[in-house]
Amino acid sequence: MASLSNSTNIFWQECPVGKLDRQKLLNQKGCVVWITGLSGSGKSTLACSLSRELHSRGKLAYVLDGDNLRHGLNKDLGFKPEDRTENIRRTGEVAKLFADAGLICVASLISPYRKDRDTCRAMLPDKNFIEVFMNMPLDLCEARDPKGLYRLARAGKIKGFTGIDDPYEPPLNCEIEIQQTNGVCPAPTAMAGQVVSYLQEKGFLEYQ
Ligand SMILES: Nc1ncnc2c1ncn2[C@@H]1O[C@H](COP(=O)(O)OS(=O)(=O)O)[C@@H](OP(=O)(O)O)[C@H]1O
Ligand SMILES: Nc1ncnc2c1ncn2[C@@H]1O[C@H](COP(=O)(O)OP(=O)(O)O)[C@@H](O)[C@H]1O
């Protein structure tokens, strides 16, 4: 891979139409909703439900799903720690562009390492990075195992699987935490509702 920060003699090009103009047009504020959690914790389910809910309210959102990005932009990356770090960095940069475009960008990736998520947070203006932690027990994720990957990891057929033999570092200061109540996971619409309430309360769903 080409090393980072190798470009020299480059200049920032300003554009006459800016983020505020686009936000006004869309009557919303651009931001990044970053969903992190174990495989099978419900990240994609929340991202889909949230995008449906925002769409029905006339708000423009776009989902960046880890699995999907690995089919294109990030297809050259595997699951070694340095590949995951680059995966998150690239996705953070893309999410930043979507937020600058005025959209509510919903990124759903395991993003297991705290420092990588914090790097993405630092790319955005204060308060515009909303970290959502899918705080679901490993037991539940493993019981769901929709893709059969935990079974393969337990059998030693996948090495370095998050939660099994690769670490997941939970957020220390996330904006939103989704968890079970009395051992029951909230329905997808309820999880999305929790995020929508946050966005509403913080003024992201209007321009003023
Ligand atoms: N070793 C290993 N560890 C974790 N996950 C694995 C691995 N190998 C493949 N997969 C599949 O890849 C999906 C995770 O991709 P991400 O880009 O979100 O991962 S990461 O943020 O770079 O850690 C993940 O998708 P989700 O289950 O939706 O989380 C898995 O389907
Ligand atoms: N809130 C929920 N209630 C019940 N089942 C859920 C919920 N969220 C996710 N699931 C189920 O759990 C499995 C994993 O969800 P998924 O969104 O694919 O997780 P991730 O993207 O984190 O890997 C899927 O079969 C999904 O239908």
Side-chain angles (χ1 to χ4, degrees), residues 40-58:
S41 59
K43 301 181 298 297
S44 304
T45 303
L46 170 57
C48 289
S49 186
L50 178 59
S51 71
R52 251 195 313 270
E53 180 58 31
L54 290 171
H55 188 80
S56 74
R57 288 170 179 245

Side-chain angles (χ1 to χ4, degrees), residues 49 123 145 154 165 178 197:
S49 186
M123 289 176 191
D145 204 10
R154 288 289 187 196
D165 55 353
I178 310 271
S197 299

Side-chain angles (χ1 to χ4, degrees), residues 176-195:
I176 301 173
E177 186 170 343
I178 310 271
Q179 56 189 337
Q180 295 178 302
T181 308
N182 301 324
V184 178
C185 183
T189 49
M191 302 195 298
Q194 202 177 325
V195 180

Side-chain angles (χ1 to χ4, degrees), residues 37-40 43-44 65-67 70 78-79 83-84 87-88 108-112 147 149 158-162:
L38 291 169
S39 175
K43 301 181 298 297
S44 304
D65 190 275
D67 253 336
R70 283 174 174 277
F79 290 90
D83 281 7
R84 293 190 200 243
N87 184 36
I88 301 314
S108 52
L109 297 92
I110 297 178
S111 40
K147 302 169 190 158
L149 298 180
I158 300 179
K159 303 284 184 209
F161 197 79
T162 305

Side-chain angles (χ1 to χ4, degrees), residues 23-129:
Q23 293 188 150
K24 194 170 182 183
L25 196 70
L26 294 166
N27 190 30
Q28 62 186 50
K29 294 193 191 90
C31 62
V32 174
V33 176
W34 189 281
I35 306 172
T36 172
L38 291 169
S39 175
S41 59
K43 301 181 298 297
S44 304
T45 303
L46 170 57
C48 289
S49 186
L50 178 59
S51 71
R52 251 195 313 270
E53 180 58 31
L54 290 171
H55 188 80
S56 74
R57 288 170 179 245
K59 300 299 158 191
L60 195 55
Y62 191 80
V63 175
L64 298 175
D65 190 275
D67 253 336
N68 294 355
L69 293 176
R70 283 174 174 277
H71 283 82
L73 177 69
N74 295 331
K75 70 196 299 183
D76 56 327
L77 301 175
F79 290 90
K80 290 182 298 204
E82 57 271 34
D83 281 7
R84 293 190 200 243
T85 294
E86 176 60 8
N87 184 36
I88 301 314
R89 188 196 68 81
R90 280 185 207 170
T91 307
E93 290 287 357
V94 173
K96 175 182 162 182
L97 294 176
F98 274 105
D100 187 57
L103 276 71
I104 296 161
C105 182
V106 182
S108 52
L109 297 92
I110 297 178
S111 40
Y113 310 141
R114 207 174 283 136
K115 70 169 173 34
D116 295 341
R117 297 191 302 266
D118 287 347
T119 298
C120 294
R121 180 184 287 275
M123 289 176 191
L124 283 132
D126 197 26
K127 315 275 186 229
N128 284 17
F129 184 88

